[in-house]
Amino acid sequence: EVQLVESGGGLVKPGGSLRLSCAASGFPFNIAWMHWVRQAPGKGLEWVGRIKSKTDGGTTDYSTPVKGRFTISRDDSHNTLYLQMSGLNTEDTAVYFCTTDSTYFWGQGALVTVSS
Amino acid sequence: SYELTQPPSVSVSPGQTARIACSGDALPKKYASWYQQKSGQAPVLLIFEDDKRPSGIPERFSGSSSGTMATLTISGAQVEDEADYYCSSTDNNDDHWVFGGGTKLTVL
């Protein structure tokens, strides 16, 4: 059974940093392209960014609002995807989902609240 | 930046056909996907590559695309289909995903 489990969410002050994790199981994580998608309270889905598999170069792409502040990485030895967030502001408050490139599988989401 | 446009809301009676449109300039060249999201839950993939349905998705959900418009059709909508629906696609370089703003479907 495929599972994606996010962790690491919480309350952080403006300007602060936070790292989210997404533990994957049930599929060959090392060849999967993975994405982060977020959803602000009461708002729609917003793509955050993507990391390719290492065999495809392992490169990353980001949406304009997070580029330069967020970093996506992966640890294939532990089947884990990461989202390092820095320079957080109140507009980053959202539930963050990890998903596979097919978008067939999604995690349950991790809530990040940026507030003083 | 590239955008996909959806109507904010669609309303139908049970048993009627609901159609949700998604417009975007790159849709003639890029596939569209559709998602259903119920309150407090993760999105569920309904349609991929314009018109393909993953296993387990009821046949009443179908997708189509023509020109700059992709359409999700729910034939014989049920009360349980009340949810938010999102289209998504990629930009012309396939570097970035884009989601539509979402459509709230009411079935009553």
Side-chain angles (χ1 to χ4, degrees):
Chain A
E1 178 193 6
V2 171
Q3 279 198 315
L4 295 171
V5 180
E6 297 96 341
S7 60
L11 176 64
V12 61
K13 288 182 168 49
S17 299
L18 201 64
R19 188 179 79 161
L20 301 182
S21 301
C22 170
S25 60
F27 67 99
F29 179 78
N30 64 312
I31 61 171
W33 293 19
M34 298 294 296
H35 299 250
W36 288 97
V37 174
R38 69 183 180 181
Q39 187 169 36
K43 303 296 185 182
L45 301 173
E46 179 186 18
W47 181 75
V48 172
R50 178 215 67 220
I51 187 167
K52 295 181 179 180
S53 64
K54 284 193 168 54
T55 55
D56 289 320
T59 54
T60 52
D61 282 287
Y62 301 92
S63 64
T64 298
V66 310
K67 192 171 184 178
R69 300 187 299 122
F70 289 13
T71 301
I72 298 174
S73 61
R74 63 192 300 156
D75 181 348
D76 291 343
S77 65
H78 290 94
N79 289 348
T80 302
L81 175 73
Y82 298 103
L83 178 65
Q84 177 68 49
M85 303 180 288
S86 61
L88 286 162
N89 57 61
T90 56
E91 295 174 349
D92 297 316
T93 294
V95 173
Y96 286 75
F97 298 98
C98 60
T99 181
T100 56
D101 196 55
S102 69
T103 66
Y104 194 82
F105 303 107
W106 293 71
Q108 83 288 352
L111 176 62
V112 173
T113 303
V114 184
S115 175
S116 55
Chain B
S1 61
Y2 182 49
E3 293 183 354
L4 296 174
T5 302
Q6 298 180 233
S9 63
V10 168
S11 182
V12 296
S13 299
Q16 286 189 329
T17 295
R19 293 182 179 83
I20 299 173
C22 171
S23 65
D25 290 341
L27 289 179
K29 300 178 182 177
K30 300 299 178 184
Y31 286 126
S33 298
W34 289 93
Y35 307 87
Q36 178 193 69
Q37 187 182 34
K38 296 185 178 179
S39 182
Q41 298 182 17
V44 173
L45 177 66
L46 295 176
I47 299 290
F48 65 100
E49 292 182 3
D50 290 344
D51 57 9
K52 296 179 175 60
R53 196 172 48 246
S55 62
I57 301 300
E59 290 183 7
R60 65 179 182 275
F61 293 96
S62 63
S64 61
S65 187
S66 178
T68 59
M69 187 81 70
T71 304
L72 173 70
T73 301
I74 308 172
S75 304
Q78 302 180 4
V79 173
E80 69 202 51
D81 297 332
E82 279 204 344
D84 294 323
Y85 291 83
Y86 296 89
C87 62
S88 78
S89 187
T90 59
D91 63 8
N92 276 313
N93 297 325
D94 285 331
D95 291 333
H96 291 205
W97 282 5
V98 179
F99 287 94
T103 299
K104 184 175 183 60
L105 175 68
T106 301
V107 183
L108 54 74

